[in-house]
Amino acid sequence: QVQLVESGGGLVQAGGSLRLSCAASERTFSNYAVGWFRQAPGLEREFVAAISWKGGSTNFANSVKGRFAISRDNAKNTVYLQMNSLKPEDTAVYYCAAADFTYTRVSLYAYWGQGTQVTVSS
């Protein structure tokens, strides 16, 4: 069982930046790929970005390519999502999740955090 806790969400103006963190207490966290997903009201949860267990491979949704970056510090059991040039359409609850590969499908991730709200004002 891997317990994940997201933090770093908040309210930001369009064009601004936020950095989300996904922390785990288990040392085995470093054995998992980690994905970030988001869910806006009335919409399905969607893939944002993912990083492999060593950090050597990343994957991004087309909507965030060039604006978001994902990284991890396995010594701190933490994965980061750096979000730049934020747009109002980035407003959502952001979740991190762990899996054995950098999947883009929600159903392939076994462990999930509780989410953190990101609101981008125009």
Side-chain angles (χ1 to χ4, degrees):
Q1 186 79 10
V2 178
Q3 295 184 328
L4 306 174
V5 178
E6 302 95 336
S7 61
L11 174 64
V12 64
Q13 288 189 333
S17 298
L18 282 175
R19 188 177 79 158
L20 305 184
S21 298
C22 173
S25 57
E26 295 80 10
R27 295 180 65 181
T28 55
F29 180 64
S30 62
N31 296 333
Y32 291 91
V34 173
W36 282 96
F37 293 79
R38 65 187 182 187
Q39 187 167 19
L43 299 179
E44 293 186 352
R45 193 168 299 188
E46 65 174 5
F47 171 77
V48 175
I51 187 167
S52 60
W53 68 280
K54 272 190 172 181
S57 176
T58 58
N59 192 8
F60 294 91
N62 287 335
S63 59
V64 306
K65 277 182 181 176
R67 300 188 297 124
F68 290 13
I70 188 170
S71 61
R72 69 188 299 162
D73 185 343
N74 285 339
K76 295 183 178 179
N77 289 341
T78 303
V79 171
Y80 305 97
L81 183 69
Q82 178 67 43
M83 306 186 296
N84 301 323
S85 302
L86 283 162
K87 306 174 181 180
E89 51 264 44
D90 293 318
T91 295
V93 177
Y94 282 70
Y95 300 88
C96 66
D100 59 359
F101 190 71
T102 51
Y103 303 114
T104 60
R105 289 175 58 184
V106 170
S107 61
L108 295 177
Y109 282 79
Y111 306 106
W112 291 84
Q114 83 291 347
T116 185
Q117 176 71 47
V118 171
T119 303
V120 184
S121 63
S122 56

